[in-house]
Amino acid sequence: MLFKQQALLRQKLFVLGSLAIGSVLYLVARVGTLDRLQPICPIDSRQPPPEPEQIPLRTLQFKRGLLHELRKGNATKEQIRLHNLVQQLPRAIIIGVRKGGTRALLEMLNLHPAVVKASQEIHFFDNDQNYARGIDWYRGKMPFSFPHQITIEKSPAYFITEEVPERIFKMNSSIKLLIIVREPTTRAVSDYTQVLEGKERKNKTYHKFEKLAIDSSTCEVNTKYKAVRTSIYTKHLERWLKYFPVEQFHIVDGDRLITDPLPELQLVERFLNLPSRISQYNLYFNATRGFYCLRFNIVFNKCLAGSKGRIHPEVDPSVVTKLQKFFHPFNQKFYQITGRTFNWP
Ligand code: A3P
């Protein structure tokens, strides 16, 4: 009897053990086959992907390791020769606007396997000395890439510099132009904050924002103040439109890029005719930073530098209202021209 009970117990234990081992083996097999770069959330199915494989992305994905080295600017001479890597002129430029979120946009687009970023602001078209060095100098500043990748650079000064549209047009009249904007008063305060921080670093004193933004003799908005002028987006855009049709521009909502970057990035992917590859997996909210950070893969992620996302000084609410009223008609015109409307006051 005792022997029979023991045998029954052994049998039960054997069955349970087999089940447990089976489950563990199944899980291991599943995890092993999962592609860790798969997005956590499916990409919005309402957006039809653009024509696939204008860029052979599959080839690129096999070369992820090399891509990573490319992104860090570490491709070796041997790799450059073996993989036919080239330095290409940009096919798209983030031309501005300063403090609109230009760095975040460039870094986030660089998550796309078909995009390679020029890490530094090159200032080729807005700086006469650099421009005089010629187009080969500019190309030499570009990162190595596979021939079917697109290179993107950003220099926010381009947007507001008189000579730049004509110079870019001469290089490539069909180039794609990205402009990232924020609510104009917030952008002006952000611009001021950056300058203020620079002064403080050098132990220099600086005026209050209110003093710079308002002309004390008229009590009106001081249109000579650069931070104000830069936020009159329509004035600058109109200069660009003398050279490029409006279809060649894409306006990015810099305020939404802060709070919900993925939809903005998907719009850019479409504008650049790239298959949708940036996913929610690539973007995670970092509560300490208070911003979205970037996840390239299971081991490599990064947040933007601390100079992005500064705390702005308090501004007198009456000055804020005055500025908002001042920008209002320019904003309306900007919406009209670009076809993109924002909820700016
Ligand atoms: P603030 O410093 O005013 O917050 P730019 O790169 O053109 O100089 O723009 C800087 C702005 O990018 C920052 O302005 C910040 O708000 C915004 N930004 C957008 N996305 C960001 C991100 N993921 N991390 C940090 N800053 C981001």
Side-chain angles (χ1 to χ4, degrees):
M1 184 70 178
L2 187 68
F3 179 74
K4 224 174 166 185
Q5 272 178 343
Q6 278 177 343
L8 210 65
L9 192 68
R10 262 203 303 275
Q11 217 172 2
K12 274 185 186 168
L13 282 173
F14 176 75
V15 171
L16 281 174
S18 308
L19 275 174
I21 292 169
S23 311
V24 170
L25 284 176
Y26 172 75
L27 278 175
V28 168
R30 271 306 300 260
V31 171
T33 55
L34 280 180
D35 181 353
R36 282 151 207 257
L37 291 179
Q38 281 295 309
I40 285 169
C41 303
I43 289 156
D44 191 345
S45 55
R46 282 167 304 172
Q47 297 194 1
E51 286 302 302
E53 308 308 31
Q54 286 168 332
I55 293 161
L57 283 176
R58 243 171 286 128
T59 324
L60 292 180
Q61 271 158 0
F62 284 126
K63 295 175 178 174
R64 263 182 213 141
L66 177 55
L67 267 181
H68 184 58
E69 291 306 306
L70 271 180
R71 287 198 160 119
K72 291 195 298 179
N74 283 351
T76 61
K77 277 193 179 146
E78 186 58 11
Q79 286 170 326
I80 290 166
R81 198 183 54 76
L82 258 173
H83 297 279
N84 292 326
L85 299 179
V86 279
Q87 284 171 294
Q88 305 185 75
L89 290 174
R91 270 193 261 168
I93 304 183
I94 301 170
I95 56 173
V97 178
R98 176 183 151 95
K99 305 322 293 172
T102 52
R103 172 57 61 186
L105 179 60
L106 181 71
E107 297 294 333
M108 288 174 180
L109 289 177
N110 192 49
L111 288 162
H112 198 291
V115 170
V116 178
K117 64 162 185 181
S119 295
Q120 308 293 324
E121 291 182 10
I122 318 264
H123 290 281
F124 178 61
F125 298 104
D126 62 307
N127 179 311
D128 290 342
Q129 250 183 348
N130 286 344
Y131 191 63
R133 291 180 161 120
I135 203 79
D136 287 336
W137 178 86
Y138 184 48
R139 198 196 312 268
K141 292 279 169 198
M142 294 299 153
F144 282 95
S145 59
F146 296 116
H148 35 259
Q149 287 181 306
I150 65 167
T151 302
I152 302 188
E153 83 125 325
K154 77 117 180 163
S155 294
Y158 291 167
F159 186 57
I160 56 160
T161 309
E162 193 82 27
E163 301 81 7
V164 173
E166 185 182 354
R167 288 175 176 178
I168 293 188
F169 182 84
K170 280 183 182 158
M171 175 187 75
N172 177 1
S173 62
S174 58
I175 196 156
K176 302 209 173 194
L177 301 164
L178 293 159
I179 307 175
I180 177 162
V181 290
R182 277 164 92 186
E183 189 279 309
T185 304
T186 311
R187 196 221 63 82
V189 176
S190 172
D191 200 331
Y192 165 83
T193 309
Q194 171 154 314
V195 179
L196 175 71
E197 196 184 281
K199 301 272 181 198
E200 283 175 348
R201 227 181 298 124
K202 292 179 194 155
N203 284 326
K204 288 185 177 167
T205 54
Y206 194 46
H207 304 292
K208 287 191 79 177
F209 176 78
E210 291 83 344
K211 188 157 192 292
L212 295 166
I214 304 295
D215 181 338
S216 57
S217 59
T218 61
C219 280
E220 294 301 325
V221 169
N222 178 11
T223 51
K224 291 199 183 91
Y225 178 39
K226 197 171 168 195
V228 166
R229 281 212 317 273
T230 302
S231 283
I232 310 177
Y233 304 138
T234 184
K235 286 274 174 228
H236 302 288
L237 184 61
E238 280 166 33
R239 275 188 303 101
W240 283 84
L241 289 170
K242 289 183 191 148
Y243 292 89
F244 298 97
V246 74
E247 299 75 38
Q248 253 167 270
F249 297 85
H250 176 75
I251 309 297
V252 179
D253 183 343
D255 295 310
R256 190 155 78 136
L257 196 84
I258 296 174
T259 55
D260 186 15
L262 185 59
E264 283 304 314
L265 296 170
Q266 288 175 333
L267 290 174
V268 179
E269 287 179 323
R270 297 184 84 185
F271 173 69
L272 297 178
N273 275 328
L274 296 173
S276 182
R277 285 291 188 279
I278 304 173
S279 72
Q280 203 60 63
Y281 174 86
N282 301 123
L283 302 155
Y284 66 96
F285 188 76
N286 181 315
T288 319
R289 278 290 276 123
F291 284 97
Y292 276 87
C293 296
L294 287 67
R295 184 188 284 125
F296 284 83
N297 53 44
I298 200 159
V299 283
F300 182 56
N301 53 46
K302 70 167 187 181
C303 297
L304 263 60
S307 59
K308 304 292 173 188
R310 297 184 176 100
I311 295 166
H312 297 180
E314 289 256 345
V315 176
D316 181 336
S318 70
V319 171
V320 171
T321 310
K322 201 168 255 186
L323 281 165
Q324 289 174 342
K325 276 195 182 146
F326 169 81
F327 287 125
H328 185 79
F330 298 113
N331 296 342
Q332 298 302 312
K333 188 115 185 264
F334 184 70
Y335 305 156
Q336 209 182 9
I337 295 175
T338 60
R340 189 146 194 199
T341 306
F342 299 99
N343 285 329
W344 297 337

